[in-house]
Amino acid sequence: MHTTFRNTARGGRPFALAALGLAIAGSLAAPPQAHASAFQLKENSAKAMGRAYAGSATAGGDVSVVANNPAAMSDLDGTYVQADVTAINFSARFTGTSTDVLGRPISGGNGGDAGTTLPVPALALSTKVSDRVNLGFALDVPFGFQTKYDSNWMGRYDAIKTSLRSFDTMFSASFKINDQWSVGASVIAERMNADLTNAINFNAIGLSVQQGIAAKTQAAVAQIQAAAAAGQIPPAQAAAMIQAAAAQGQTAAAGVAALTPVDNDGFAEVKGNNWAWGWQVGTYWKPTAKDRLALDYRSRITHDIKGTANFTTTEGYDLLLSNPALSGSLPPFQHTSGNARLTNPAVAALSYWHQEDKFGFGADVAWTQWSVMRQLTVNYANAQPATVLPFNWRNTFYVSVGGEYYATDKLTVRGGLAVDQAPMNAGNRDPRVPDGARHTVAVGLGYKATDRLELNASYEHIFVAHAGMNGAVSATGDVLTGSYDDYGNLLSLSMQYKF
């Protein structure tokens, strides 16, 4: 997210309002880090994770198809319930530099490990109500993310904490047309929650106020000089007036500088949430007795997010606000609200599986419409002008191959590989979403404890490519430049029971 520093004779009002606006915008739009690119999550099946999600809708016997492709429920003969939980451990370490609007180094370390370990739950139920119809219900988290840096790190004006969660409730149905073809559809109710914090650089706002004072002083001097040139003011009087104006400006600027010293920061926390509706359609085809192919499309879901912002100011900034000459040109950084329209992307996925007696293998290709994240417009409850934030993300592809081997009637061994593109590059990457292209290695085990009970466990490691950042600019003009060293470890467990 980028903004520009603007000199102003109004004591820095546009500059400071941008700081307020972008802070709220960040909370309403800040995106996550997990298995898929940016803030997309796939973690609703331990069984599929063991194959790196190859054959996610076609491998068979996985109730997560209620969420991944409802048409494939037609293969589930009976009533099933499946519960999954995935622990996502993602590491993100920054190396680089940060400078303020004057090019001075900003104090603080590299932020520590901004990653975290979070559980991602999923639940799916499917029941066959007739020879042709299956109904299903699912709860999962298709989008989610959290990063948290040390509170005093050099990039604190860009981000400290970013947390976003999308919780889906899905109602699905499938219809078996014949032995080869099935179709399915889902209705999705999605809840989005966002929580974001960052520091406020009051020193930078003070610099803007000082520049405004200097501009006013220069304008006053120019008026006096013009009056003297026109013979309206005697030269001696003009010289005295110019000296007095300069002294007054210097005193005022020095006072502002004393009240807004370097590293005397404020703090902002913003939150937002919304419910919205979406849909999903899928097809399932068996061209031969051993081959299966599925195509699924999940709609994009648009959220009209409403948010609130709370701020902690400093004693010096409060004294500036108490000055009648400045109070009207400075934001009070008090509780306010805002709203923004944010769209979670559409996803199209093609899944293939080939089944033999002792083994099976397959592949998945998924396309995510990240281009919907072009920009974000935030409107405010007060008279503040709307803020427009550019993202300019690009669409991405996820490709995986994997398989499983049936060691015994009870034990299954799985493995898979995947590659995943990143929707951003070094030019538009920022510390809230320090993502890069990913390569994944996954392994898993399945165990049939009884004819009705099946247990699964999978592990996945994510290698993230070099994630450079060519100058992320904060709302107060601070520039963060460097790169990220990222990786992920995921452990997933599931239990499936057939009634």
Side-chain angles (χ1 to χ4, degrees), residues 224-453:
I224 295 170
Q225 291 173 335
Q232 299 173 351
I233 302 175
Q237 181 182 356
M241 292 174 66
I242 290 173
Q243 184 177 6
Q248 183 180 14
Q250 290 173 357
T251 300
V256 172
L259 294 175
T260 56
V262 174
D263 294 337
N264 194 17
D265 302 332
F267 185 78
E269 180 173 18
V270 284
K271 295 182 178 181
N273 59 73
N274 177 252
W275 277 99
W277 293 90
W279 51 270
Q280 179 177 227
V281 293
T283 61
Y284 184 50
W285 180 40
K286 297 179 180 178
T288 73
K290 295 183 177 182
D291 296 290
R292 308 161 191 166
L293 194 67
L295 178 64
D296 181 80
Y297 180 83
R298 173 192 167 98
S299 74
R300 56 186 177 182
I301 299 179
T302 298
H303 291 270
D304 290 314
I305 300 177
K306 300 184 184 301
T308 61
N310 290 286
F311 302 96
T312 301
T313 58
T314 63
E315 183 178 350
Y317 191 76
D318 290 340
L319 286 174
L320 280 183
L321 290 175
S322 68
N323 186 333
L326 296 175
S327 60
S329 61
L330 291 174
F333 286 106
Q334 294 177 346
H335 173 79
T336 188
S337 60
N339 63 80
R341 175 163 287 190
L342 177 67
T343 301
N344 279 338
V347 180
L350 180 66
S351 182
Y352 168 75
W353 189 255
H354 178 81
Q355 187 65 59
E356 296 288 347
D357 291 339
K358 290 294 292 182
F359 66 90
F361 62 87
D364 266 34
V365 178
W367 169 86
T368 303
Q369 191 188 20
W370 285 121
S371 60
V372 297
M373 295 289 289
R374 303 300 296 177
Q375 66 178 33
L376 178 75
T377 300
V378 184
N379 300 297
Y380 304 100
N382 53 26
Q384 178 181 328
T387 299
V388 179
L389 303 174
F391 288 99
N392 297 318
W393 285 7
R394 62 184 179 184
N395 299 332
T396 62
F397 281 94
Y398 174 92
V399 179
S400 66
V401 293
E404 52 190 32
Y405 173 72
Y406 314 115
T408 69
D409 291 342
K410 292 182 175 293
L411 182 64
T412 299
V413 180
R414 302 184 176 96
L417 302 171
V419 294
D420 195 10
Q421 296 176 314
M424 73 290 291
N425 54 40
N428 60 0
R429 183 174 288 113
D430 67 57
R432 295 204 182 277
V433 192
D435 195 20
R438 304 174 177 205
H439 297 80
T440 295
V441 177
V443 294
L445 293 173
Y447 181 72
K448 289 187 176 182
T450 69
D451 290 341
R452 296 179 178 273
L453 178 63

Side-chain angles (χ1 to χ4, degrees), residues 193-204:
N193 297 331
D195 185 6
L196 174 144
T197 68
N198 59 267
I200 304 172
N201 191 347
F202 284 131
N203 176 254

Side-chain angles (χ1 to χ4, degrees), residues 64-135:
S64 68
V65 294
V66 175
N68 296 331
N69 186 331
M73 287 193 299
S74 61
D75 271 355
L76 297 174
D77 187 13
T79 298
Y80 294 80
V81 60
Q82 181 172 307
D84 294 75
V85 62
T86 303
I88 300 176
N89 169 254
F90 204 91
S91 176
R93 293 184 178 273
F94 173 77
T95 302
T97 61
S98 181
T99 56
D100 68 10
V101 71
L102 297 181
R104 301 174 301 183
I106 294 176
S107 66
N110 287 331
D113 190 345
T116 187
T117 300
L118 291 173
V120 175
L123 177 69
L125 298 91
S126 174
T127 185
K128 195 173 190 69
V129 297
S130 73
D131 290 341
R132 294 180 179 269
V133 177
N134 285 61
L135 299 179

